[in-house]
Amino acid sequence: MSTVRSVKSLIPLLDRVLIQRVKSEAKTASGILLPESSVKELNEGKVLAVGPGQLGKDGQRLPMGVQKGDRVLIPSYGGSPVEVGDDVYHVFRDSEIIAKINE
């Protein structure tokens, strides 16, 4: 796992996307606080940075499927974890992202 000082210093290359996983609520609907050990990470994340895109056979950049600020559905496993302080972010390829979540 890589360690970086600032998340702003991470700039994805080619078709890679920097994602912060969303954690589930630490409190139930009725207000009961859950212990940290029972709170799991969801398969949902927020896109923090996007690379310029993969080069096609003709040398032109292929458009990315997501952009900064999008909420996305990501696989449970995979991606490259990157530590920034106490937080862990993940770098996925654009093709590994399962879906965009529109509200």
Side-chain angles (χ1 to χ4, degrees), residues 29-90:
S30 59
I32 298 172
L33 292 174
L34 300 171
E36 248 183 71
S37 60
S38 69
V39 177
K40 63 178 185 172
E41 289 183 334
L42 300 175
N43 289 358
E44 182 181 322
K46 180 179 178 182
V47 176
L48 301 179
V50 178
Q54 184 75 5
L55 290 174
K57 291 180 182 177
D58 60 357
Q60 298 294 317
R61 293 243 180 236
L62 301 174
M64 296 291 283
V66 296
Q67 58 186 332
K68 183 178 177 180
D70 283 349
R71 285 182 49 216
V72 293
L73 188 63
I74 52 179
S76 298
Y77 300 100
S80 299
V82 180
E83 283 185 15
V84 179
D86 293 336
D87 297 322
V88 177
Y89 301 89
H90 297 272

